[in-house]
């Protein structure tokens, strides 16, 4: 992730793999993966102008990758959950290719939000998302920087 300049360390000498990653930090990574397309933020979205993430958020909103909790609640600094992470990546993948794979459901499928189930099934089938020893994926658990890096690495290997 560092060599591709998709994720930065938390300092010149630390990656801090166990720290959580926010929703907007992950969107910024996807934006970099897309080549940082030149989108100009405007007042027409709920993205605060002048923020470091304004271009990435505008791009993600325009491409239906990032969905807020509601039209007025964006939650950029909220820690991203595993199911949100996979849903955002799934929506990114839909722009770039086929996402119609299926697989056996994880044992905790009932705890996956209905809006995230197609993305979770896709990520499991592609080998992008790994579960625990019993196959559980813990969808509402906060994703760490290390988990994000591992998931993106597997996605890029399959892309």
């Amino acid at each position: 992730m560092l060599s591709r300049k998709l994720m930065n360390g938390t300092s010149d000498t630390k990656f801090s793999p166990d720290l959580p990653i926010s929703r907007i930090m992950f969107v910024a990574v996807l934006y970099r993966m897309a080549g940082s397309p030149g989108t100009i933020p405007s007042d027409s979205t709920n993205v605060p102008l002048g923020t470091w993430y304004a271009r990435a958020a505008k791009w993600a909103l325009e491409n239906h990758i990032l969905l807020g909790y509601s039209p007025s609640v964006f939650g950029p600094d909220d820690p991203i959950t595993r199911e949100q992470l996979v849903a955002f990546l799934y929506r990114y993948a839909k722009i770039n290719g086929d996402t119609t794979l299926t697989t056996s459901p994880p044992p905790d499928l009932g705890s996956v939000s209905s809006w995230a189930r197609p993305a979770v099934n896709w990520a499991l089938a592609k080998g992008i998302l790994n579960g625990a020893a019993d196959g559980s994926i813990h969808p509402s658990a906060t994703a760490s920087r290390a988990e994000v890096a591992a998931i993106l690495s597997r996605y890029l290997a399959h892309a």
Side-chain angles (χ1 to χ4, degrees), residues 48 60 70 112 133:
S70 73
V112 175

Side-chain angles (χ1 to χ4, degrees), residues 31 34-41 55 58-59 62:
Y31 178 68
S36 302
T39 183
I40 309 267
R55 287 182 184 268
K58 175 81 170 162
W59 166 83
E62 287 174 350

Side-chain angles (χ1 to χ4, degrees), residues 1 4 6 26 29-35 59 65 85-101 119 122-130 146-159:
M1 293 302 101
R4 291 182 181 223
L6 298 178
F26 185 66
V29 170
L30 294 177
Y31 178 68
R32 290 181 200 117
M33 282 174 46
W59 166 83
I65 293 167
L85 164 74
V86 171
F88 291 3
L89 184 59
Y90 176 73
R91 293 177 197 135
Y92 173 85
K94 285 174 84 171
I95 295 170
N96 297 302
D98 183 25
T99 55
T100 57
L101 299 173
W122 165 80
L124 288 167
K126 292 281 275 184
I128 295 166
L129 179 64
N130 293 334
E147 289 173 310
V148 169
I151 287 169
L152 287 175
S153 180
R154 290 189 291 265
Y155 171 77
L156 291 169
H158 288 89

Side-chain angles (χ1 to χ4, degrees), residues 127-138:
I128 295 166
L129 179 64
N130 293 334
D134 69 351
S136 298
I137 58 166
H138 310 285

Side-chain angles (χ1 to χ4, degrees), residues 23-24 26-28 30-31 34 37 39-49 51 53-76 88 91-92 95:
R23 289 164 48 92
I24 199 60
F26 185 66
V27 165
L30 294 177
Y31 178 68
T39 183
I40 309 267
S42 68
D43 290 325
S44 63
T45 68
N46 59 359
V47 177
L49 294 176
T51 59
Y53 58 79
R55 287 182 184 268
K58 175 81 170 162
W59 166 83
L61 288 165
E62 287 174 350
N63 287 284
H64 308 286
I65 293 167
L66 172 62
L67 302 177
Y69 298 117
S70 73
S72 62
V73 179
F74 181 52
F88 291 3
R91 293 177 197 135
Y92 173 85
I95 295 170

